[in-house]
Amino acid sequence: VDNSAVWLLQGWMFVKNIFWTDELIKAFLLAAPLGKMLVLDLQSEQFPQYERTFSFHGQPFIWCMLHNFGGTLGMHGSVDIVNTQIRLARDMVNTSMVGVGITAEGINQNYAIYELALERGWLKNDLDLYNWFKIFFLIFFVLITLMLIYYSCIFWYNDRIFWYNWFQNFIMKFI
């Protein structure tokens, strides 16, 4: 047994499960010394367990946004909850929150909600969501435009300048 090991626990095992009474949850969490268990409070934006468990009875936890299941696509998200609940979890009495994470089960879609959650983890105060989204989409579309220009230049140079077929034909005339 590694005495420096830390147990990693998915906290949603306590969600809507009649087996896990408050007393059993406390006994389970405190069976490991404080700091020897890290709890991922999966889907904190919808079913936070840190409130029910009194910040997991002192075990460190990460506030996680699940957002979708199995790559469910769509431009949706709990932006108000993400914006305020991360701060409330961090500021609650005797909090043991040590970070913010995303537990995306599908990626490359809905960049805004993931960016919001991860950025929100670094900030103390709530964001002005209107201005945040305005800046996010301005930057997002500027980057897409720059990428399109960049790749267009690569293809143009590749097709017209860096192919020496014309040069080879020119040399062959004099050999």
Side-chain angles (χ1 to χ4, degrees):
V1 174
D2 184 353
N3 291 331
S4 62
V6 175
W7 289 88
L8 184 63
L9 175 72
Q10 293 185 355
W12 62 5
M13 63 189 277
F14 305 130
V15 177
K16 298 179 183 175
N17 186 331
I18 59 171
F19 173 78
W20 288 107
T21 63
D22 292 342
E23 296 78 26
L24 279 176
I25 292 172
K26 182 177 181 179
F28 179 82
L29 291 169
L30 294 178
L34 288 181
K36 292 295 186 176
M37 180 183 294
L38 177 62
V39 182
L40 301 176
D41 194 3
L42 302 172
Q43 207 175 8
S44 292
E45 84 281 12
Q46 296 298 321
F47 303 107
Q49 295 303 296
Y50 63 87
E51 295 169 334
R52 174 185 177 197
T53 60
F54 305 99
S55 196
F56 294 98
H57 295 285
Q59 294 291 5
F61 78 94
I62 297 176
W63 191 101
C64 297
M65 181 187 71
L66 180 59
H67 177 255
N68 68 3
F69 290 92
T72 304
L73 300 178
M75 294 300 285
H76 62 89
S78 307
V79 293
D80 289 329
I81 292 172
V82 170
N83 191 32
T84 58
Q85 293 301 313
I86 292 173
R87 174 186 46 81
L88 293 174
R90 185 185 303 120
D91 292 346
M92 71 184 230
V93 176
N94 297 323
T95 188
S96 59
M97 182 177 142
V98 295
V100 171
I102 56 173
T103 50
E105 292 185 344
I107 57 173
N108 297 326
Q109 41 86 19
N110 202 344
Y111 299 103
I113 192 70
Y114 296 117
E115 180 70 25
L116 175 68
L118 292 175
E119 184 174 333
R120 190 62 194 86
W122 294 101
L123 303 173
K124 180 177 174 130
N125 298 320
D126 295 347
L127 294 163
D128 174 348
L129 290 176
Y130 175 79
N131 284 326
W132 187 88
F133 276 104
K134 188 168 65 170
I135 292 167
F136 174 82
F137 283 110
L138 175 68
I139 292 169
F140 185 77
F141 287 114
V142 165
L143 287 176
I144 286 175
T145 303
L146 290 174
M147 283 177 26
L148 288 172
I149 292 169
Y150 173 74
Y151 285 110
S152 296
C153 289
I154 288 173
F155 292 128
W156 187 81
Y157 276 101
N158 186 38
D159 290 344
R160 291 182 174 70
I161 295 176
F162 294 112
W163 286 99
Y164 288 107
N165 293 339
W166 65 270
F167 186 71
Q168 187 177 11
N169 291 336
F170 178 77
I171 297 282
M172 288 300 173
K173 289 180 182 178
F174 298 100
I175 296 182

